[in-house]
Amino acid sequence: MSKRDVGPAEATYDARSRPRDGRSELRLWLLRLIVLASVVLAYNYVIWRWLESVNWSAWWIAVPLVVAESYSVIDVTLFGLTMWRARTRSAPPQPAPDATVDVFIATYNEPVELVSVTAAAAKRIRWPHETWILDDGDRPEMRAAAEELGVGYITRGREWSDRPRHAKAGNINNALMETTGEFLLILDADMIPRPEILDHTLGYFRDPEVALVQTPQVFSNVATGDPLGSQAPLFYGPIQEGKDGWNAAFFCGSNAVLRREALMQLGIVGYVREVEAAVARTLRDAFRIVRRAQRRAPAGSAAAVALAETATALLHARQALGNGEPLAEVTYSLQRRVDAAAAGVVFHDLRAIQADLAAIAGLPAGPEPRPEGGPAGDSAAGSPLGPAVGAAGPVAFDPDEVLASLATRDLSPLNALEAVQLALRAVDIDRDDEAQAVMPLATISVTEDMATSMRMHGLGWRSVFHKELLADGLAPEDLSTALTQRLRWAQGTMQVFLRENPLFSRGMTAAQRLMYFSTMWSYLSGFATIVYLAAPVIFLVFGVLPVDSWAPEFFWHFLPFFIVNQLLFLVAARGLPTWRGQQYSLALFPVWIRACVSAFGNVVFRLPLDFAVTPKTKQAPTGVPWRKLRWQLIAAVVLVIAVVVGIIRVVVLQDEFVGTVVNVVWVAYDLLMLSVLVGAVRYRGYVPDETVAAGGGEAR
């Protein structure tokens, strides 16, 4: 049943409703006031920088700096927009009593003991459900553990053996075809659910338009101070609440409940769009083939007429496809017109042959020619047409590759028509390059979550962020693993940005587009950080000032913006610790840059992506990952040297005292942000009797 088939009487809950809480409303209006002040002051500063304070004589550093500042201003604007409709939800109604649920525990190579703990906890979930272990490693010991626990076990079938596997998305897509629950609770192997997780989330689905309920991901093995920045209280709090206000809270891969109907609709729509794209490519290349062949056809000939008719038919088909006409009707009509055009050429040739034979029959009889070179039938072997099928049988080919190749060659009129006919019949309706024709979860990146929810929103479904701790996870316990995890998140996000940019995705509202874009935009910060690190160094070492302004004027524009911006974060966080997240946002600039570059290479140039599954257990000590930290170390050393050189310049030259002080403070701030890695390097893992931290983590 479609969400649009549900009548008003059944819609007992509306996820768009907002609780009437005077205190919450007052806090929201205060937050909006600060957002307005922050945005106004930000643009006041950056406009002044562009128009009045760029040192054009040193444009090579002045322009990158003001561009980086403009990036930060846009970032502040997007954050303010996110916070504008931040919502705190009241408890949902009771779930529908007949709601059926499948609990999916996705695993690849995690220890059997760890997965078993999660599966045992999933069995204890109070709401009636079926628990399934989705073992992408196809391990006999995992199957045996599932049987012992009394839970279901699903692994890939043989149809996946020579096809793309699509990591976790493919694992879940495979399981979707083997289960029947109306709703799905998706858990990572290390996310231990609490018994009430379904009781507290299924009620949102009383609204027939809700497709996703996401809950926070909080980790139980994080030491005091959160040295690796694993927790993300700002994201799994104000940011997701802000996105929720715009109906843009998105799927984060685990601790989420999804509606099967919405996922299957995604799969079907995706299948149709893939086939439409294949047909569009075929029509485009076929048209190019025909146009090239037209240049070779004699004017007024039957071939020229047939090619003109075929070109017209292809144009009409492309227009019909663009107008959204049914795909089957478009292709069927086109095939009939192309076949008719080709038949016309053949008919004309047969009539010509018939006329020639009649003329030959009217000639006077001559001496009967003596056969040479064997039986007359032997001459057929030398026919320029050649055999229809080779001795080894028909040869398999990729229609897209063959057609694209033919589109750049000049073919005879008859060969051109035949190529078009073959191409139209070879469109891969069954998607033989995939194990499944229908893929509900998005497979366009190494992280399946964001793209899936983005497509849901594009189809008109709603999402909910439920801010309650309902599952306890395990965070990385060493810096190397944490860096691997951050890289994978960033790579997946940037793949989605490059393949399905939300600003141009169909179906979403303008606010939803900006909510997704703001998350993707944040991973570009690595490039701005390089400029923020380089600018004070260049001044302290070489005396080159990128800002052409005297100090009081600069401070008059900059300080109000900086202070109000910090106030915005404090009010938005509502007391949550966010400093650790801010430190890691700057300190991991090489990770963000590497993610952007590698994702670009993968999407644009099809280069393999350096991808690794995040280990879910504590790794054996391997020493400090100096290689992964080399750029931060280089930056820190250069910053310290720059301070020393700057102080020497002031003492010796007795010049630029104020500028030196400002830039030394700037360097000190950068070093303070980078210093978070000192504690991360020294961290040796969680000790169970430590107090669990609640803060830190980067915003997604």
Side-chain angles (χ1 to χ4, degrees):
M1 179 172 60
S2 169
K3 62 191 177 73
R4 294 174 178 81
D5 295 333
V6 179
E10 297 176 76
T12 57
Y13 172 72
D14 186 352
R16 293 168 292 185
S17 62
R18 292 175 176 270
R20 296 288 183 180
D21 183 341
R23 187 175 178 181
S24 296
E25 288 292 323
L26 181 62
R27 184 171 58 239
L28 179 60
W29 281 106
L30 174 62
L31 181 60
R32 288 176 174 176
L33 181 63
I34 298 174
V35 166
L36 282 175
S38 181
V39 171
V40 169
L41 291 171
Y43 281 92
N44 175 66
Y45 170 73
V46 79
I47 291 172
W48 170 78
R49 286 282 288 112
W50 275 105
L51 297 181
E52 300 185 33
S53 64
V54 176
N55 183 6
W56 294 105
S57 62
W59 62 268
W60 48 273
I61 182 60
V63 172
L65 179 59
V66 74
V67 168
E69 290 176 307
S70 301
Y71 166 85
S72 298
V73 166
I74 295 174
D75 200 40
V76 169
T77 305
L78 292 171
F79 179 75
L81 180 65
T82 302
M83 293 296 101
W84 190 261
R85 295 185 67 176
R87 66 183 304 165
T88 302
R89 288 185 176 270
S90 56
Q94 289 297 311
D98 57 347
T100 59
V101 183
D102 287 316
V103 177
F104 286 173
I105 302 170
T107 177
Y108 173 61
N109 60 358
E110 293 83 0
V112 172
E113 296 78 12
L114 183 148
V115 181
S116 297
V117 170
T118 302
K123 276 199 70 177
R124 293 192 294 271
I125 294 175
R126 290 197 292 260
W127 189 265
H129 66 283
E130 294 287 337
T131 299
W132 301 89
I133 294 177
L134 315 184
D135 183 19
D136 228 6
D138 193 13
R139 296 165 288 176
E141 61 273 22
M142 190 73 259
R143 183 188 295 271
E147 291 177 356
E148 184 177 347
L149 286 168
V151 300
Y153 178 87
I154 298 175
T155 191
R156 312 268 191 138
R158 294 177 59 186
E159 68 274 12
W160 291 87
S161 59
D162 58 346
R163 299 290 189 272
R165 295 182 69 84
H166 302 302
K168 181 181 173 183
N171 191 11
I172 296 174
N173 283 335
N174 175 69
L176 278 167
M177 302 304 171
E178 300 190 30
T179 55
T180 59
E182 183 183 2
F183 303 102
L184 310 168
L185 169 60
I186 296 179
L187 299 169
D188 281 344
D190 60 337
M191 284 290 178
I192 301 174
R194 298 188 177 185
E196 65 273 18
I197 186 169
L198 292 176
D199 296 270
H200 291 190
T201 54
L202 282 177
Y204 290 110
F205 293 99
R206 287 277 193 171
D207 183 336
E209 295 189 352
V210 170
L212 163 72
V213 177
Q214 177 66 55
T215 70
Q217 294 184 21
V218 179
F219 306 102
S220 59
N221 63 331
V222 174
T224 302
D226 193 11
L228 299 181
S230 298
Q231 309 284 26
L234 187 62
F235 176 76
Y236 287 112
I239 290 179
Q240 276 281 51
E241 288 178 323
K243 294 180 186 294
D244 192 19
W246 295 105
N247 185 30
F250 60 77
F251 180 33
C252 299
S254 184
N255 305 7
V257 185
L258 297 96
R259 188 188 295 268
R260 179 185 292 269
E261 178 192 349
L263 286 175
M264 297 311 296
Q265 184 186 10
L266 280 186
I268 293 170
V269 169
Y271 166 78
V272 171
R273 288 176 178 171
E274 287 284 341
V275 174
E276 285 180 345
V279 172
R281 288 193 301 269
T282 299
L283 296 179
R284 180 194 63 217
D285 291 336
F287 184 75
R288 291 166 60 190
I289 290 173
V290 171
R291 291 301 298 269
R292 286 177 179 274
Q294 280 183 294
R295 291 198 292 266
R296 300 188 59 186
S301 66
V305 173
L307 288 169
E309 292 176 355
T310 302
T312 301
L314 287 167
L315 281 175
H316 289 167
R318 295 174 72 180
Q319 292 172 355
L321 193 65
N323 293 334
E325 295 185 22
L327 189 61
E329 293 182 12
V330 172
T331 54
Y332 177 70
S333 174
L334 175 61
Q335 285 174 347
R336 291 191 62 184
R337 294 181 66 177
V338 174
D339 290 346
V345 175
V346 173
F347 179 75
H348 181 274
D349 287 348
L350 290 175
R351 291 292 299 270
I353 292 172
Q354 185 180 25
D356 290 342
L357 291 174
I360 292 172
L363 293 174
E368 182 176 344
R370 184 174 56 189
E372 296 180 3
D378 290 351
S379 64
S383 170
L385 294 177
V389 180
V395 179
F397 63 91
D398 182 336
D400 283 345
E401 292 184 7
V402 173
L403 193 61
S405 175
L406 292 175
T408 62
R409 297 170 50 191
D410 287 330
L411 300 178
S412 70
L414 283 175
N415 284 345
L417 288 173
E418 184 178 4
V420 172
Q421 288 174 306
L422 289 174
L424 291 174
R425 288 173 171 80
V427 173
D428 187 13
I429 300 296
D430 295 328
R431 296 190 68 194
D432 291 331
D433 59 327
E434 295 282 2
Q436 295 179 183
V438 173
M439 293 284 188
L441 263 70
T443 59
I444 63 170
S445 81
V446 296
T447 53
E448 73 293 335
D449 42 21
M450 180 182 291
T452 297
S453 56
M454 194 166 75
R455 292 176 178 181
M456 282 182 176
H457 285 130
L459 292 178
W461 292 96
R462 302 192 64 80
S463 63
V464 169
F465 175 66
H466 179 78
K467 189 183 176 183
E468 180 184 3
L469 176 57
L470 293 172
D472 302 277
L474 296 177
E477 294 197 48
D478 64 277
L479 181 58
S480 180
T481 303
L483 294 176
T484 298
Q485 183 186 65
R486 304 302 199 287
L487 177 64
R488 181 169 60 86
W489 287 348
Q491 284 175 327
T493 301
M494 296 314 295
Q495 281 180 307
V496 178
F497 175 70
L498 293 168
R499 287 190 169 125
E500 293 187 8
N501 190 317
L503 296 180
F504 306 105
S505 295
R506 52 180 123 174
M508 291 193 293
T509 65
Q512 287 174 323
R513 297 170 194 267
L514 290 174
M515 290 300 100
Y516 281 101
F517 177 73
S518 65
T519 298
M520 300 169 182
W521 177 260
S522 66
Y523 283 114
L524 298 174
S525 64
F527 299 102
T529 299
I530 290 181
V531 180
Y532 289 142
L533 294 173
V537 170
I538 291 172
F539 174 78
L540 293 172
V541 175
F542 302 106
V544 177
L545 189 65
V547 181
D548 185 13
S549 171
W550 60 301
E553 187 178 13
F554 172 80
F555 287 124
W556 173 252
H557 286 86
F558 174 74
L559 284 180
F561 158 58
F562 180 79
I563 293 171
V564 174
N565 185 49
Q566 293 302 308
L567 180 62
L568 171 60
F569 274 91
L570 288 173
V571 174
R574 301 198 297 271
L576 293 171
T578 61
W579 174 243
R580 185 68 77 230
Q582 293 182 54
Q583 284 183 294
Y584 270 105
S585 180
L586 183 144
L588 297 187
F589 71 94
V591 176
W592 313 143
I593 293 174
R594 180 183 172 190
C596 293
V597 172
S598 60
F600 183 84
N602 175 256
V603 173
V604 178
F605 300 109
R606 299 189 177 182
L607 299 176
L609 197 63
D610 184 14
F611 167 73
V613 177
T614 305
K616 298 296 193 299
T617 57
K618 187 174 181 179
Q619 302 300 293
T622 57
V624 178
W626 296 116
R627 187 173 180 276
K628 292 184 177 181
L629 298 176
R630 62 187 183 279
W631 294 112
Q632 290 95 329
L633 292 172
I634 292 172
V637 170
V638 170
L639 288 170
V640 171
I641 293 174
V643 169
V644 174
V645 173
I647 293 173
I648 293 174
R649 285 174 56 87
V650 169
V651 173
V652 174
L653 300 179
Q654 299 291 317
D655 191 20
E656 295 290 352
F657 176 78
V658 175
T660 300
V661 170
V662 170
N663 282 274
V664 166
V665 172
W666 189 349
V667 167
Y669 175 80
D670 288 340
L671 289 172
L672 181 62
M673 302 296 272
L674 292 172
S675 69
V676 70
L677 297 175
V678 176
V681 166
R682 297 175 59 190
Y683 184 56
R684 292 295 177 266
Y686 174 67
V687 179
D689 61 354
E690 289 192 71
T691 303
V692 176
E698 79 284 352
R700 290 185 62 185

